[in-house]
Amino acid sequence: MDSTDHDSVAEAVHQRAERTLTDLDERWDYERIEPLLVEPMPNHDDPIYPETADEFEDESYPYAAGAVVVNDNAELLCVRNPVREWETPGGAGEPGEVPAETAQRETREETGIECEITGVLFARLMNVDLGGPEPLPIPVIVFTAEPSGGAELSEAEIEANPEITDLAWFSHDELPEEMREYTRKHDYLRSLATGSSTH
């Protein structure tokens, strides 16, 4: 693949990513934070620059979305992941979904809790370095949400779930500091606990 082909693929992927965030802009007021450069997924031992935008989405995913679910006690729903330790629920978008639906599905699958989306805490581009002229972006959206039903997974259900090893609710002063975007999540949680605004 020559540099012209690389450039056309990169342009198409960037347009798709921006379209996802533009659709978000039309519904929600939120902060778009700085892009994050990442290595390819661990299963990509020998990353190859994709020949089309469709191929890139098939090899990775069109976007990722998660939910910062906070209960009436201003506690944040978190899951322990074997790779990332404590984190908020989230994952890759699937065909036919919009990002808010992905965040709700991932929360349900990882915790058993149904949630109602209330806003967007932040969004960013995760730029994947595949060795081409420029990294390729994947939008990452973190929604705010409230629990709306369901029940936490039992110990047996957690043991049978390959994605998590535990779940818990944390107040702002208990939140594990190794969590991604700890400061933003901590400040949001504290603002709910104290009744102050985050925007």
Side-chain angles (χ1 to χ4, degrees), residues 89-163:
E94 294 185 352
E97 287 184 330
V98 296
E101 293 170 338
T102 300
Q104 291 173 310
R105 174 183 54 76
E106 289 286 342
T107 300
R108 181 174 60 253
E109 290 176 355
E110 294 183 5
T111 71
I113 300 294
E114 300 283 349
C115 68
E116 178 181 350
I117 300 298
T118 58
V120 176
L121 185 59
F122 64 85
R124 77 179 337 152
L125 293 177
M126 182 171 66
N127 291 326
V128 184
D129 185 1
L130 293 172
E134 63 177 298
L136 299 179
I138 299 174
V140 178
I141 303 116
V142 176
F143 292 91
T144 59
E146 300 172 346
S148 60
E152 293 177 17
L153 298 180
S154 66
E155 288 188 18
E157 289 172 321
I158 291 173
E159 288 180 6
N161 191 319
E163 297 184 19

